[in-house]
Amino acid sequence: MCYYLGSVSRIRDGPKTKIVTICKMGEEKKEGLVGNNQVIGVVKVDHSIREANPSDLARLIKNETIDERLKIDEATEKDHGVSDIVVYGANLTFVNMEGTDLYGLNWKRHKPTNVSYLIDGVGDAGTVVVLPAGPNDSSKDGDEGRIMTMTLPEDEIIKLQFELIKEWSIA
């Protein structure tokens, strides 16, 4: 995820990206209950993310994500639940669904073979969604595959394609 963050930040024009929103599955789990335990937080850096080392970004995301859920709840209560709050894409937003058991659903002894995830109403800064690739999708070394979906401003798509070719030899 951090490598893609660096790639996206390198194509951005204008003000340097210093804040990134991270959405991930929360650690707290309630046995037998289905609910939303998503953590919505921000990671702030002192310098541009464009110049950051991916290892440093990974450490920041893991250890220094500032939880914003209380601020969101307070803003919603203040406006009696009628305001629109842009979470996805207010800043460049990464939604990490890797730890979510998307393929664990069992409906009348049937399990999904493919799962997709859609986020609608994304703000101007865009989103990157990371999903597990499949229920049994592992490489030879045991590393699970991933599917990434990006919602970015139209003018950044071509720039990102060239950046991925240059940095990763992929299109």
Side-chain angles (χ1 to χ4, degrees), residues 147-160:
I147 297 173
M148 292 186 67
T149 304
M150 296 183 185
T151 305
L152 297 172
E154 189 174 343
D155 64 318
E156 292 183 359
I157 300 295
I158 298 297
K159 293 177 189 176
L160 181 61

Side-chain angles (χ1 to χ4, degrees), residues 48-101:
S48 170
I49 290 173
R50 173 187 302 208
E51 300 156 7
N53 179 320
S55 301
D56 293 337
L57 288 174
R59 183 188 51 75
L60 286 171
I61 290 169
K62 183 175 181 184
N63 301 323
E64 297 184 34
T65 299
I66 302 165
D67 195 337
E68 295 284 303
R69 291 178 290 181
L70 185 57
K71 286 183 182 178
I72 293 169
D73 289 344
E74 287 172 353
T76 303
E77 285 179 21
K78 179 180 170 187
D79 292 339
H80 306 291
V82 295
S83 62
D84 286 334
I85 298 173
V86 176
V87 173
Y88 300 109
N91 301 311
L92 177 58
T93 304
F94 280 79
V95 182
N96 185 353
M97 302 296 290
E98 291 177 285
T100 307
D101 188 11

